[in-house]
Amino acid sequence: MVSSLVIRQATMWLELLQSGKSIVPDLSGFSKPKKFSFERFMDVSKSFFYDAISSHTKILKELQTLRLENELLRENCKHLVRKNQRLVYEVSHDSLTGLYSRRYFDFYSEQACQKATLMGSSLSLLVIDIDHFKDFNDTYNHQAGDQLLRSFGLCLRSAVQSPGSLIARYGGEEFVAVLPDHDQLAALTIAQRVHKVVKALGITVSIGIACHAQDGNTALSLFRCADLRMYNAKRNGRVRIEVCNCL
C-alpha cells in the first residue's frame, strides 16, 4: 500500500513536468573546480610534510628541555635531602666524639621514661665522668684531651651495645647512657664493663646509676639522681660506681 507521502511527492513532480519548469538545479553560481595536477599534489604534500617535521622537531626540543629541567630538579632534591640529613646529624650528634648530643639525649630520655611508665618496663640511666680529666688536659694539652674523649667514646660504644640503648656526651668529660629494659642489676653490670674497658686508655671513671620508678619517673628527676650519685662517687675517692637510691 503506497503511503500518502509518496503520493504527494509524485504529484509534485507531475505538476512540475506539466508546467514546463526545469527541475535541474541552477549551478551558475558555482565556479568550476580547478584542475588538480600532479605538481599541485606534490606541493601540497611537501608543505604538509615540512609542517609535520617542524612540529615534530619543536615537540622534541620541548621534551628535551623538560627532561633537562627534570634532571636538574632531581639533583636539587637529592642535594636538599643530603643537606637536611647532614643538618639532622649535626643537631643530634656531638661533633667531637660522634656520640649523640645533649639535645638528643634530652629528647630520647624523656621518650624512654614515658614508654617505661606506660609499659611498666625497666629503665636505667648511667652518668659517667672521666676522673682527673682537667689534670690530663693541663699535662698533655687540649688536643690530647680531645683525642682522649674520642677514644673514650669508642670505649663506651664497645661496652654499651644493648638494643635501644643510647650513649651521649652530656658536656665536657661527662657522658650518659640510657638503658631501656635494664633494671638496677643489669645497669650495674654495664657500669662494671665500662670500668674495665677504659683501663686500656690509662684512665678511670666515676659512675652514678639511677633506675626508673624507684629513683624518678621523669627524665629530669632520673638524671639529677644519677648525676648526684656520680658526684658522690667523686667525693668518695673516684673509680667508683654509686647506685642511686635518692629522691
Side-chain angles (χ1 to χ4, degrees):
M1 187 174 182
V2 181
S3 67
S4 59
L5 178 60
V6 174
I7 294 173
R8 284 198 301 271
Q9 289 178 345
T11 303
M12 290 175 61
W13 281 103
L14 283 172
E15 290 176 353
L16 286 172
L17 289 172
Q18 290 174 358
S19 65
K21 294 180 179 180
S22 175
I23 62 174
V24 179
D26 184 11
L27 300 177
S28 59
F30 295 91
S31 59
K32 293 182 179 181
K34 295 180 180 180
K35 185 179 180 180
F36 196 77
S37 65
F38 179 75
E39 290 77 10
R40 175 63 180 166
F41 172 76
M42 291 300 297
D43 290 341
V44 173
S45 299
K46 288 180 181 179
S47 177
F48 175 79
F49 178 75
Y50 290 144
D51 288 344
I53 291 296
S54 177
S55 299
H56 182 68
T57 303
K58 184 179 180 181
I59 292 173
L60 287 178
K61 288 181 178 179
E62 291 176 352
L63 287 174
Q64 182 67 18
T65 300
L66 289 174
R67 189 178 294 110
L68 291 175
E69 291 176 350
N70 187 50
E71 288 294 331
L72 181 60
L73 182 61
R74 186 181 291 109
E75 287 301 318
N76 288 336
C77 287
K78 289 180 180 179
H79 175 71
L80 289 174
V81 168
R82 288 193 296 267
K83 188 175 181 180
N84 185 60
Q85 290 173 340
R86 184 62 187 174
L87 288 173
V88 170
Y89 180 87
E90 289 176 354
V91 169
S92 61
H93 287 74
D94 174 61
S95 60
L96 179 63
T97 63
L99 300 176
Y100 284 103
S101 64
R102 175 176 175 175
R103 178 182 295 183
Y104 191 77
F105 160 74
D106 290 339
F107 166 78
Y108 188 85
S109 58
E110 190 61 45
Q111 295 294 314
C113 282
Q114 291 178 7
K115 180 181 177 182
T117 300
L118 181 64
M119 304 296 292
S121 55
S122 301
L123 173 67
S124 294
L125 175 67
L126 307 185
V127 175
I128 308 161
D129 192 86
I130 301 175
D131 295 329
H132 304 294
F133 183 73
K134 184 179 182 304
D135 295 339
F136 184 93
N137 260 345
D138 293 342
T139 302
Y140 298 104
N141 70 45
H142 289 283
Q143 287 74 22
D146 287 347
Q147 184 56 49
L148 175 63
L149 292 174
R150 294 189 192 97
S151 300
F152 183 70
L154 294 175
C155 285
L156 286 182
R157 284 177 175 170
S158 67
V160 184
Q161 297 183 356
S162 307
S165 61
L166 176 136
I167 311 167
R169 183 186 179 198
Y170 193 79
E173 69 273 23
E174 190 170 345
F175 296 78
V176 289
V178 182
L179 306 173
D181 300 315
H182 282 62
D183 57 15
Q184 189 179 90
L185 182 59
L188 182 60
T189 301
I190 296 292
Q192 290 170 341
R193 190 183 305 160
V194 171
H195 265 291
K196 290 179 181 179
V197 297
V198 299
K199 288 181 179 179
L201 301 177
I203 61 173
T204 60
V205 294
S206 298
I207 303 175
I209 299 177
C211 300
H212 183 264
Q214 70 186 56
D215 298 319
N217 291 318
T218 66
L220 181 58
S221 61
L222 208 60
F223 174 78
R224 284 176 175 173
C225 202
D227 194 52
L228 175 62
R229 279 300 176 183
M230 184 273 294
Y231 279 106
N232 286 341
K234 292 281 190 184
R235 285 192 292 269
N236 292 330
R238 297 183 173 84
V239 201
R240 293 175 60 89
I241 300 171
E242 293 283 343
V243 178
C244 193
N245 193 26
C246 57
L247 282 174

